[in-house]
Amino acid sequence: MSREPRGPNEKLGTVLALAGISNAGLARRVNDLGAQRGLSLRYDKTSVARWVSKGMVPQGAAPHLIAAAIGSKLGRPVPLHEIGLADADPAPEIGLAFPRDVGAAVKSATDLYRLDLAGRRGSGSVWQSLAGSFAVSAYATPASRWLINPADSSVAREARAEEPGARPFGGPGPGVGSEPVRVGHSDVAKLREAAEEARRWDSKYGGGDWRSSMVPECLRVDATPLLLGAYSDEVGRALFGATAELTRLAGWMAFDTGQQEAAQRYYIQALRLARAAADVPFGGYVLASMSLQATYRGFADEGVDLAQAALERNRSIATDRVMSFFHLVEARAHAKADDAPACGAALAAAESRLERARDGDPDPSWLDFYSSDRLAADAAECYRDLRAPRQVRRFTEQALSKPTEEFVRSHGLRLLVSAVAELESGNLDAACAAGTRAVEVAGRISSARTTEYVRDLLHRMEPYGDNPRVAEFRERARPLLAAPA
C-alpha cells in the first residue's frame, strides 16, 4: 500500500536518473532486498512510476529499501530526504554519524541503543527495514576523523536534571527529571564484566545465541543511563571504554548473524566511543573489525585501507600482539584483493610481531583470543582466497592442532576451510569428512557466517554431481541450511 499522492516526487526521479536505474530495475531491486528479509513484495515499473509522477509514498520498509537499492548502485548511503521520502521513519540514519562533539556522540550512541530494542519486535522491525543498506563508504568519515584525532580532550560531564541519570548496575533507573547519580568505577567494572562474559559466550555459541541479546539490552538498560549521568574525566574515559567494548561486541554479533546494516552502525559508534575513551589501540581494533566486514562483503581495497589506518595510528603505541593482529587483518584484505605479494608481506609482519610478544606485555583483555593458532587459521583463509591449497592444508593443520573448547565457532570455520583445501587438492573423501565434522560443530552454535561457509563448500562440490559421498554430506548439512537465520 501507499500513502495519498502529494504531487510529483522530482527528487526521486532525479536520483534515479543519476543512478541510471529504470523503473523496472528499481522495482526488481526493492523486491529482492525485501526477500532477503522475508518480505514478499510485488512492486513493478508501474509502482515506481506512481512514486515518481504522483508522489505516492509506499508504506512499511519500502522507503528504506528504495534508498538502499539506489545507494547500492551509487556506492554511497542515500538518505531519505535526498529521494523525497523524508517523512518516512528516519531510523536508517541512526548510528551512522561520527560527531565531533562528545555530547553529540553520547546522543548518537544512545539513540542507536534504543533503536535496537524496537528492532527486535515482529516482522516489521527496524533492522528488517534496513535490509541491504550496508555501504562501505559510510566508514570513510569515521575513519578519517579518528585518524585526525583519536582522543577527545575532555569527557567530564555534569548531567542535567531533565535527563535520566546514572543508577546502580542492574537496578531500577530514575525517571526523567530525577536527580542524577554520579558514576563510579564500580559501575564501569560491571560493564566490563558483562563484556567479558559476552565475549566468552559469543566465541562458544556464536553471535545468534540467546545470550547475545544481553549485549544490546545491557547497552540500552545499563550503559545508556550511565552515559547520561555525571562523571569525572577519569571515570568518563573508563566508562566510554567499557561501553565501546560492548558496542563493538554488539556489532560483531550482528556481523556473525548476517545483520550487516546493524553491525556497521554499532562499529561506527564503537569507534566514536573509543575516541572519547582515548583508547587508541581499541580504536584500531574497531577499525580492524570494520576491515574484516568490508573484506567479507567484497570491498577488499577498503578493507586494506581500514586495516592500515589501524596500523598507522598505533605505531609505537600498541603492543606487539595487537600490531600482529592488525597485520593479520591487513593480510586477509590483501588476499581477497588477490594481491599475493602484499598478503605474504603482511602475514610475515604478523608472524614476526607475534614472535616478539611476551607474556608480561600489557596486552588488552579484548585480544585474549589471539595466539599462533588464530594466526594460522587466518593464514589458511588467506591462502584459500589465493587458491593455494597446499598452503591452506599446512596452516589448517597447525590451526587445528590445539583444543578449541572455548572457541567452538572458530573450530567449525577451520574445519570448513580445511575441507575446501582438501577438495581443491582432489581429496574428496577428506573434504567430505572435514565438512561433516564442521556441520556437527555448526549444529551447536548460531552463526550465519558458519552457515555461509557450509554453503560455499557445497557450491564447490557441485561438479561432483550425485557422488554418494557428496550426497551424504549434502543430506547431513540440510537441517543446518534449512534452519531460520
Side-chain angles (χ1 to χ4, degrees), residues 118-313:
R120 294 175 182 276
R121 295 174 181 168
S123 60
S125 71
V126 173
W127 294 130
Q128 199 172 52
S129 73
L130 294 177
S133 64
F134 171 85
V136 73
S137 58
Y139 283 148
T141 295
S144 62
R145 288 187 181 175
W146 182 83
L147 278 169
I148 293 167
N149 179 19
D152 289 314
S153 58
S154 175
V155 297
R157 186 178 194 276
E158 291 298 329
R160 296 186 295 274
E162 69 270 17
E163 292 179 333
R167 42 89 183 128
F169 188 92
V176 173
S178 61
E179 186 68 23
V181 177
R182 182 166 292 276
V183 183
H185 284 295
S186 60
D187 298 300
V188 176
K190 290 173 181 177
L191 285 181
R192 292 200 183 279
E193 289 173 7
E196 290 175 5
E197 180 184 4
R199 276 198 301 271
R200 290 193 296 270
W201 275 87
D202 171 66
S203 295
K204 195 167 186 179
Y205 298 110
D209 179 73
W210 71 271
R211 294 294 287 269
S212 302
S213 64
M214 292 179 62
V215 177
E217 184 75 357
C218 182
L219 287 168
R220 185 188 71 86
V221 175
D222 299 305
T224 293
L226 294 177
L227 290 172
L228 296 172
Y231 35 83
S232 66
D233 184 68
E234 178 191 3
V235 172
R237 301 283 187 195
L239 172 61
F240 282 116
T243 309
E245 286 192 39
L246 281 165
T247 305
R248 194 213 69 88
L249 268 170
W252 176 255
M253 291 171 174
F255 167 67
D256 189 49
T257 53
Q259 300 179 74
Q260 305 300 330
E261 50 284 329
Q264 181 167 50
R265 287 158 172 76
Y266 279 122
Y267 285 159
I268 290 172
Q269 297 313 303
L271 185 64
R272 184 58 188 89
L273 294 169
R275 186 167 102 167
D279 191 337
V280 180
F282 188 77
Y285 186 43
V286 178
L287 283 177
S289 300
M290 292 176 171
S291 173
L292 287 170
Q293 183 190 32
T295 300
Y296 179 80
R297 295 282 293 174
F299 300 98
D301 286 342
E302 289 82 355
V304 171
D305 292 340
L306 290 163
Q308 290 182 344
L311 284 162
E312 185 60 34
R313 253 302 176 182

Side-chain angles (χ1 to χ4, degrees), residues 283-362:
Y285 186 43
V286 178
L287 283 177
S289 300
M290 292 176 171
S291 173
L292 287 170
Q293 183 190 32
T295 300
Y296 179 80
R297 295 282 293 174
F299 300 98
D301 286 342
E302 289 82 355
V304 171
D305 292 340
L306 290 163
Q308 290 182 344
L311 284 162
E312 185 60 34
R313 253 302 176 182
N314 275 281
R315 297 190 192 283
S316 304
I317 296 176
T319 65
D320 285 315
R321 189 177 302 276
V322 171
M323 293 296 281
S324 171
F325 182 73
F326 294 166
H327 278 297
L328 183 60
V329 172
E330 179 193 12
R332 292 289 301 270
H334 282 308
K336 188 65 74 172
D338 203 25
D339 189 339
C343 175
L347 284 175
E351 188 173 13
S352 176
R353 281 283 197 165
L354 192 58
E355 288 175 351
R356 288 160 53 184
R358 296 293 179 265
D359 289 340
D361 292 344

